[in-house]
Amino acid sequence: MIMQVVSEVVACNRARYGALEPVVGVFAEYLGRRGYAGITIENYLQCASHFGRWLTAQRMALNHIDETVLHRFLAVHLPICRCCKPSPRTPANLRRALRHLLRLLRSEGIIPPRSVPVSRFVSDELQLFDAYLRDVQGLAPATRLYRLRYVREFLVARFDWGPIALEYLKPDDICRFVTDRAAGCQPRTAGIIGDCLRSYLRFRRMRGQPTESLIAAVPRVAYWRLATLPDSLTDSQLMGLVNSFDRTCPTGRRDYAIIRCLVDLGLRASEVASIQLNDLNWREGTLRIAKAKAKRTTLLPLPVETGRAIADYLRFGRPKTDNRALFVRHRAPRDEPVGPSLVRNAVRCAYARCGLAQRWTGTHVLRHSVASRLLREGASLKDIADLLRHRSVNTTTIYVKVDLPKLSTVALPWPGRRT
């Protein structure tokens, strides 16, 4: 039925697509494969028709489309648009449709991948630095991404389009960049900016360039990791959060299984999103975490309640798909694994249902809650570190402060206090 609607729309509007006429059929098939409803496909095709006619009027070729062209269409043309019908003019709807169009054109090789405009000197340097972060330091893609981001800003700010010559840099240049860039940032973010720049300068030192004085000039931001108590949910709040999911519908079963992975195993949102069907061993009752933060594969025991929630989702909630991801999307674009943002959104909606949205929004507090609960139940720091997959037990020591009853037994009396 959907493809019949698509065929009729394509046939009626083919002459109206302008520069996009060669790809309109592929675009319709692309949307159909991703599970969009017929009315949504029709609407997106009309958006593409409007954009295609504007491209023709601007005498712009298909292979020149990028985010800048989309911005011109949405910000400059749309407010004064007098195009003939059908010409959708809702910015949000047009933006969604044209983002799908860009994704299709890049997947087909019609337009080049998205890139930040930098000089070839900076581009080559970033490629070398990324290889160092990946092959030598073994950092995860997300960590490499923000390190490259801040280093790119530094190189562009100091060298612009010219060659990179660190020998002309002075310690004041390093200090000034970090302090200017960190203005208005939280202390942890400001510290990350300095860490990224320090990592790059160490990379240059490994390649034989003396950067010791520049490394020493990177300012350190004052931040005391153990100065505050880790935030966590109480047992009653956790119970209310877990029971807030509607387990009678497929989406509710999926989100309930997700929350059980978070509150029972202390997984990160990215780790939950990356679980594959092959990671579950039902005979041994284990779950393999293959894409952890430290890029190490870990085998965790699968709690009974977590296993039941996952099994219920697999039997009665998970749609039929060839995708091997455990948790998949139930709405268009279908046949794709969920991402970390969907995991966070499911938890955020649960907070709202429980009346906790004003205090918490993320998923990391659930990791803190798991550690705090285990500590109250008598688990050792080594056991908690193994479950949370900390590289060092020192990372886990922050949770010692949440056991206030035990701390009160070893607290010394305040000097001068009456007994």
Side-chain angles (χ1 to χ4, degrees):
M1 181 63 184
I2 292 178
M3 297 313 300
Q4 180 180 357
V5 173
V6 170
S7 301
E8 294 176 358
V9 173
V10 173
C12 294
N13 295 327
R14 182 169 295 277
R16 302 178 179 178
Y17 285 99
L20 294 181
E21 183 176 349
V23 298
V24 63
V26 180
F27 186 43
E29 294 176 1
Y30 165 85
L31 295 172
R33 288 195 308 268
R34 295 170 72 86
Y36 284 95
I39 189 171
T40 304
I41 297 177
E42 179 180 357
N43 182 271
Y44 282 4
L45 289 176
Q46 290 180 353
C47 292
S49 172
H50 187 184
F51 182 57
R53 294 197 304 273
W54 177 80
L55 290 174
T56 302
Q58 298 293 314
R59 298 182 179 180
M60 193 171 298
L62 182 62
N63 58 351
H64 291 165
I65 300 175
D66 57 13
E67 281 74 14
T68 303
V69 175
L70 259 62
H71 178 74
R72 283 178 51 196
F73 173 73
L74 295 172
V76 179
H77 166 73
L78 207 57
I80 59 173
C81 175
R82 297 293 184 270
C83 297
C84 62
K85 295 182 179 180
S87 297
R89 293 180 174 85
T90 306
N93 200 27
L94 282 163
R95 190 175 293 108
R96 284 192 293 266
L98 298 182
R99 282 176 179 172
H100 281 293
L101 178 64
L102 275 185
R103 194 175 295 119
L104 168 69
L105 295 178
R106 288 197 169 110
S107 66
E108 296 290 328
I110 299 175
I111 61 176
R114 183 178 183 180
S115 60
V116 179
V118 294
S119 69
R120 63 180 181 86
F121 302 105
V122 173
S123 178
D124 294 343
E125 184 75 356
L126 292 175
Q127 289 182 7
L128 293 173
F129 183 49
D130 185 43
Y132 162 78
L133 296 176
R134 182 187 65 247
D135 301 333
V136 178
Q137 293 198 328
L139 297 183
T143 307
R144 303 202 314 267
L145 188 64
Y146 70 72
R147 290 205 178 184
L148 291 171
R149 168 192 169 188
Y150 291 124
V151 171
R152 180 190 300 112
E153 292 181 6
F154 169 72
L155 295 177
V156 171
R158 300 310 307 171
F159 303 107
D160 199 13
W161 291 88
I164 297 172
L166 297 184
E167 59 270 17
Y168 295 111
L169 284 180
K170 298 179 180 179
D172 287 344
D173 298 329
I174 302 292
C175 185
R176 190 180 305 111
F177 171 80
V178 175
T179 52
D180 292 345
R181 182 60 180 81
C185 297
Q186 294 292 330
R188 295 192 67 176
T189 304
I192 288 174
I193 296 173
D195 292 340
C196 294
L197 198 54
R198 202 175 290 111
S199 174
Y200 170 69
L201 294 174
R202 291 195 185 106
F203 157 70
R204 294 305 308 174
R205 185 176 62 181
M206 285 186 59
R207 297 181 65 85
Q209 192 161 11
T211 58
E212 290 80 1
S213 60
L214 299 179
I215 294 174
V218 179
R220 294 186 179 273
V221 180
Y223 175 74
W224 293 270
R225 186 176 63 89
L226 301 177
T228 58
L229 289 173
D231 211 358
S232 62
L233 278 70
T234 64
D235 291 340
S236 60
Q237 288 172 335
L238 276 176
M239 183 66 68
L241 184 72
V242 170
N243 292 333
S244 67
F245 293 89
D246 180 13
R247 285 178 270 172
T248 62
C249 64
T251 304
R253 289 189 173 98
R254 180 198 64 192
D255 295 346
Y256 176 70
I258 286 175
I259 199 69
R260 296 261 33 147
C261 292
L262 294 170
V263 303
D264 294 339
L265 295 171
L267 300 183
R268 302 176 179 89
S270 58
E271 293 169 347
V272 173
S274 63
I275 297 176
Q276 303 291 307
L277 294 176
N278 297 337
D279 294 333
L280 292 161
N281 190 324
W282 296 104
R283 288 184 177 275
E284 298 181 3
T286 59
L287 173 64
R288 182 181 61 183
I289 306 300
K291 295 183 179 180
K293 182 178 179 180
K295 300 181 69 174
R296 294 178 299 176
T297 299
T298 307
L299 204 62
L300 298 177
L302 186 64
V304 175
E305 289 300 324
T306 311
R308 287 176 179 171
I310 294 175
D312 182 65
Y313 168 63
L314 291 175
R315 293 178 62 192
F316 306 110
R318 190 174 186 270
K320 293 182 179 179
T321 174
D322 294 332
N323 201 300
R324 298 299 296 171
L326 173 60
F327 300 112
V328 296
R329 293 181 58 91
H330 290 205
R331 299 176 58 184
R334 295 175 184 165
D335 200 27
E336 287 191 0
V338 303
S341 59
L342 191 148
V343 175
R344 298 187 186 99
N345 186 62
V347 177
R348 194 176 298 115
C349 292
Y351 287 147
R353 292 192 296 267
C354 299
L356 303 174
Q358 293 183 349
R359 185 172 180 184
W360 293 296
T361 57
T363 61
H364 211 69
V365 65
L366 301 179
R367 255 173 92 80
H368 292 321
S369 302
V370 171
S372 302
R373 185 178 72 248
L374 291 175
L375 189 64
R376 290 195 304 268
E377 294 174 355
S380 66
L381 286 180
K382 181 63 169 63
D383 294 335
I384 299 174
D386 290 341
L387 177 64
L388 299 183
R389 299 169 309 286
H390 289 159
R391 286 185 174 183
S392 173
V393 179
N394 293 333
T395 308
T396 319
T397 54
I398 188 175
Y399 299 109
V400 174
K401 299 191 302 181
V402 302
D403 197 352
L404 298 181
K406 289 185 179 179
L407 287 177
S408 63
T409 62
V410 299
L412 295 175
W414 188 260
R417 188 185 66 178
R418 293 181 180 180
T419 56

